[in-house]
Amino acid sequence: NAGVTQTPKFQVLKTGQSMTLQCAQDMNHEYMSWYRQDPGMGLRLIHYSVGAGITDQGEVPNGYNVSRSTTEDFPLRLLSAAPSQTSVYFCASSLRWKGGHSYEQYFGPGTRLTVT
Amino acid sequence: KNEVEQSPQNLTAQEGEFITINCSYSVGISALHWLQQHPGGGIVSLFMLSSGKKKHGRLIATINIQEKHSSLHITASHPRDSAVYICAVVTQGGSEKLVFGKGMKLTVNP
């Protein structure tokens, strides 16, 4: 199993450009999520999905869109990049939580994004 | 105030020492995760627990739900344990979201 993969590993954008960060998993996990990690702050949830066709907002969703057309893929779209979106982005997946019980989280290697 | 607080923020230890990393939270939770982030940036799950204690190799995680506190212990520490250790909680109420602490950077010197 490849686990959770993310592309690209690094990206530099100019303000106003758009792009899509790719995330894929081959573990048939229903739950997928996107986080951003900034210096001095913990991981913050951007968007998450509990299955194909179902997405919801996290703590910091503004400026980002997601969709989930398949179980395997969960792309994150930056609509119009801003310097405040400079960060390291992690995708994660797990089995679907049931009755408040969560499962082991599997993280991708991360994408380092710089917006100038 | 953050819902999840970790202490200390940084810790330097000598190889072989017993290390304790603390995590306190201010909300009701259904589970708590301990994660490790390597210097290269990758994040791996160490433990998930909702009560009691779990052990894996030299790592032991405990949780006290009444006191809203969890500890991660590393016995016989080694330089390869150098990493950022992150605590995350699942809040009660059925929300499928993790709330993370800021992490604790551990450096183990040979």
Side-chain angles (χ1 to χ4, degrees):
Chain A
N1 286 348
V4 181
T5 58
Q6 289 183 240
T7 56
K9 283 192 167 54
F10 301 94
Q11 182 71 48
V12 179
L13 289 179
K14 291 190 187 326
T15 297
Q17 287 184 317
S18 62
M19 78 159 296
T20 299
L21 306 185
Q22 301 291 347
C23 174
Q25 52 89 12
D26 61 358
M27 298 172 280
N28 203 30
H29 284 166
E30 291 172 295
Y31 185 86
M32 296 186 74
S33 52
W34 276 102
Y35 299 93
R36 59 179 289 172
Q37 185 176 44
D38 301 295
M41 304 186 75
L43 287 155
R44 291 183 293 167
L45 180 65
I46 304 171
H47 286 284
Y48 68 102
S49 168
V50 299
I54 307 169
T55 64
D56 205 348
Q57 295 181 349
E59 181 185 354
V60 287
N62 292 342
Y64 308 95
N65 270 359
V66 292
S67 59
R68 185 98 177 266
S69 56
T70 68
T71 300
E72 295 78 19
D73 299 298
F74 189 43
L76 178 73
R77 296 183 187 85
L78 278 69
L79 308 173
S80 176
S84 61
Q85 293 179 304
T86 293
S87 187
V88 180
Y89 292 84
F90 289 96
C91 177
S93 76
S94 75
L95 295 171
R96 174 77 191 272
W97 301 359
K98 293 180 171 59
H101 181 74
S102 63
Y103 292 90
E104 180 179 356
Q105 302 289 304
Y106 292 82
F107 285 81
T111 294
R112 186 172 294 274
L113 174 69
T114 302
V115 182
T116 60
Chain B
K1 188 181 186 300
N2 291 335
E3 292 176 314
V4 182
E5 298 278 357
Q6 291 188 241
S7 64
Q9 290 187 326
N10 294 280
L11 179 63
T12 299
Q14 289 301 119
E15 184 173 357
E17 286 185 1
F18 179 86
I19 292 164
T20 296
I21 303 166
N22 297 302
C23 175
S24 297
Y25 50 91
S26 57
V27 294
I29 70 167
S30 58
L32 182 143
H33 293 249
W34 279 104
L35 307 165
Q36 181 191 53
Q37 185 168 25
H38 298 291
I43 300 172
V44 296
S45 178
L46 296 175
F47 294 102
M48 186 191 63
L49 60 168
S50 53
S51 65
K53 178 172 149 177
K54 287 190 176 180
K55 183 175 189 292
H56 181 69
R58 295 180 294 106
L59 301 179
I60 302 166
T62 63
I63 188 168
N64 185 317
I65 296 290
Q66 286 74 29
E67 293 186 4
K68 292 187 165 62
H69 183 268
S70 176
S71 293
L72 177 67
H73 305 287
I74 305 174
T75 61
S77 59
H78 189 276
R80 64 176 175 266
D81 296 325
S82 297
V84 175
Y85 292 84
I86 301 169
C87 170
V89 302
V90 180
T91 57
Q92 287 178 332
S95 169
E96 294 183 79
K97 302 176 187 178
L98 284 171
V99 179
F100 292 80
K102 293 182 181 180
M104 193 226 72
K105 184 176 180 181
L106 172 66
T107 302
V108 181
N109 293 320

